[in-house]
C-alpha cells in the first residue's frame, strides 16, 4: 500500500486492493470451503439466511453461531419441512461465523502478513477479528443483499469497524457485485440490530428503527478480479443484487474492530464466547 490509501478509504468508505491473494491462494480457500460443505451433518438444522426476510430474528441457531462454523441456506432451497430441494453446494447462502479461528486454512489467510500490514496502514492499533463468512452467491440462486451498514449489526462506540471482502471469483455486474454509496459512512449509523431485551418475546433480535430508503442513483458498482480485497468502512452503505448469471460469485469476508479506545456493544447479536475472546490480528 502507498501514501494516500488511508485518505482515500476515509474519503470514500470503500477501497479496492487488487491482487491481494494469488490464484493459488484463492483456490486453497475454495478447496477448504468445499471440504466444509462435505461435513454438513445430514440432520443439520436448515437455517435460512435472508436480508429481505426476518427468519433469523427468531433463529437461535443463527444467534449461537459466533463461535462455530454454521451453515445458512438460500430461501428457495429449503422446503417447508426443512429438506433441501437442491444439492448443498448450490443451496448454501453462507457459512459462518468463526471460520477465521476454527478452520486452519481460513485462519492462515485471516491472520496473514497482508492482513496485518493492511490493518497497520489503516492505523488500527488493536484490531481483533469478530466474525467471518464464506459467501456463496451461487449461479441463479444467490440472493439479493439489501442496502445496509455493517455497523448496524456489529456496533462499537465509537465505530471502528472494517470489513475485508475477498473475491474468490471474478466479480461482475451480472453475478452480483458489491455496490456502495461513496461518502455515506460520514452520515453516522442509521439503525441498530440488537438482542431483544424482552425475555418473553419470540423475536430474539430486533431493529431499533425502520429500514432507511437509499436512492439507487447514489450507488456505484465494485467489479473486481478474483483475488482482490475490498475494504469496507463499518458505516458505508453497500448492497449486492441477486446472481442471475451462470457464474458463481464466491467471497470470503471477515470483520475487524480496533479495540483501542472503543467498546464493542453488549447489545450486538454476535457476542464473544467467554472462553474465546475475539482473536487479535497482530498476535496471531
Amino acid at each position: 500500500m502507498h501514501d494516500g490509501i488511508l485518505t482515500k478509504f476515509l474519503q470514500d468508505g470503500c477501497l479496492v486492493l487488487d491482487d491481494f491473494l494469488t490464484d493459488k491462494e484463492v483456490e486453497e480457500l475454495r478447496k477448504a470451503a468445499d471440504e466444509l460443505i462435505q461435513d454438513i451433518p445430514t440432520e443439520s438444522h436448515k437455517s435460512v439466511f435472508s436480508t429481505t426476510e426476518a427468519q433469523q430474528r427468531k433463529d437461535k441457531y443463527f444467534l449461537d453461531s459466533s463461535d462455530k462454523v454454521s451453515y445458512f441456506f438460500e430461501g428457495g432451497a429449503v422446503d417447508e419441512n426443512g429438506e433441501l430441494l437442491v444439492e448443498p453446494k448450490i443451496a448454501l447462502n453462507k457459512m459462518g461465523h468463526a471460520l477465521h479461528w476454527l478452520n486452519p486454512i481460513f485462519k492462515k489467510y485471516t491472520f496473514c502478513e497482508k492482513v496485518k500490514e493492511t490493518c497497520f496502514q489503516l492505523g488500527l492499533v488493536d484490531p481483533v477479528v469478530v466474525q467471518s463468512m464464506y459467501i456463496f452467491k451461487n449461479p441463479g440462486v444467490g440472493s439479493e443483499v439489501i442496502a445496509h451498514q455493517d455497523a448496524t449489526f456489529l456496533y462499537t462506540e465509537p465505530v471502528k469497524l472494517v470489513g475485508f471482502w475477498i473475491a474468490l471469483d471474478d466479480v461482475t455486474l451480472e453475478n452480483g457485485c458489491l455496490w456502495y454509496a461513496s461518502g455515506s459512512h460520514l452520515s453516522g449509523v442509521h439503525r441498530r440490530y440488537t438482542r431483544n431485551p424482552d425475555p418473553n418475546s419470540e423475536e430474539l433480535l430486533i431493529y431499533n428503527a425502520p429500514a432507511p430508503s437509499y436512492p439507487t442513483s447514489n450507488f456505484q458498482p465494485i467489479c473486481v478480479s478474483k483475488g482482490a480485497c475490498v475494504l469496507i468502512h463499518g458505516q458505508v452503505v453497500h448492497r449486492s443484487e441477486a446472481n442471475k448469471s451462470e457464474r458463481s460469485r464466491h467471497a470470503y469476508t471477515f470483520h475487524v474492530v480496533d479495540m483501542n479506545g472503543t467498546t464493542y456493544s453488549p447489545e450486538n447479536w454476535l457476542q464473544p464466547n467467554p472462553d474465546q475472546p475475539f482473536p487479535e490480528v497482530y498476535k496471531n
Side-chain angles (χ1 to χ4, degrees):
M1 301 222 294
H2 54 78
D3 291 343
I5 288 290
L6 176 57
T7 301
K8 182 167 174 50
F9 177 68
L10 294 177
Q11 176 181 304
D12 293 347
C14 265
L15 180 68
V16 174
L17 304 176
D18 290 313
D19 303 316
F20 193 77
L21 295 184
T22 66
D23 285 354
K24 183 179 179 183
E25 291 169 334
V26 165
E27 287 312 306
E28 193 173 359
L29 285 169
R30 291 187 66 115
K31 183 181 177 186
D34 283 340
E35 290 173 356
L36 285 168
I37 294 169
Q38 309 308 318
D39 291 340
I40 300 177
T42 53
E43 71 281 3
S44 173
H45 172 76
K46 301 299 188 296
S47 179
V48 170
F49 183 84
S50 170
T51 64
T52 58
E53 304 292 341
Q55 290 102 325
Q56 61 266 20
R57 295 197 209 176
K58 301 179 182 180
D59 192 349
K60 196 167 188 306
Y61 180 83
F62 175 82
L63 196 65
D64 293 342
S65 64
S66 65
D67 60 348
K68 303 175 183 67
V69 176
S70 300
Y71 302 88
F72 302 92
F73 295 88
E74 295 287 359
V78 180
D79 69 16
E80 58 189 17
N81 298 316
E83 298 299 319
L84 291 183
L85 299 172
V86 290
E87 289 296 311
K89 188 171 183 176
I90 300 169
L92 282 165
N93 173 288
K94 69 176 184 178
M95 297 184 294
H97 289 92
L99 288 166
H100 62 280
W101 196 246
L102 298 180
N103 181 277
I105 301 301
F106 286 97
K107 185 175 184 178
K108 177 173 80 168
Y109 288 109
T110 307
F111 297 94
C112 70
E113 287 306 313
K114 288 180 183 177
V115 171
K116 289 179 167 68
E117 177 64 18
T118 302
C119 287
F120 180 76
Q121 294 284 351
L122 290 175
L124 307 185
V125 176
D126 184 18
V128 300
V129 180
V130 297
Q131 73 162 14
S132 54
M133 297 178 286
Y134 189 99
I135 301 171
F136 290 88
K137 204 82 162 182
N138 280 318
V141 298
S143 56
E144 169 195 13
V145 175
I146 61 171
H148 67 282
Q149 300 171 296
D150 290 340
T152 289
F153 308 95
L154 302 170
Y155 184 75
T156 67
E157 182 64 51
V159 173
K160 292 187 179 182
L161 173 68
V162 179
F164 284 68
W165 190 98
I166 301 172
L168 304 180
D169 285 302
D170 291 338
V171 179
T172 66
L173 292 172
E174 292 73 31
N175 70 355
C177 70
L178 292 173
W179 293 73
Y180 82 107
S182 180
S184 57
H185 61 299
L186 303 175
S187 60
V189 178
H190 305 155
R191 69 170 176 165
R192 300 269 311 280
Y193 188 56
T194 64
R195 292 178 176 237
N196 191 346
D198 180 0
N200 299 314
S201 174
E202 283 188 5
E203 298 263 304
L204 301 174
L205 299 162
I206 54 173
Y207 285 104
N208 70 344
S213 178
Y214 300 111
T216 305
S217 59
N218 287 359
F219 291 86
Q220 53 188 286
I222 305 176
C223 297
V224 296
S225 298
K226 178 173 64 175
C229 177
V230 183
L231 299 177
I232 304 172
H233 190 287
Q235 290 180 187
V236 81
V237 180
H238 59 290
R239 62 179 177 85
S240 67
E241 295 177 0
N243 183 357
K244 297 175 182 175
S245 77
E246 297 179 356
R247 296 175 53 240
S248 64
R249 198 227 66 183
H250 290 199
Y252 174 54
T253 182
F254 56 92
H255 288 89
V256 170
V257 168
D258 185 358
M259 295 303 293
N260 182 59
T262 193
T263 302
Y264 184 84
S265 175
E267 298 177 338
N268 288 339
W269 79 267
L270 185 145
Q271 295 296 321
N273 184 319
D275 298 325
Q276 174 51 58
F278 294 139
E280 299 174 49
V281 172
Y282 297 146
K283 294 183 180 178
N284 284 288

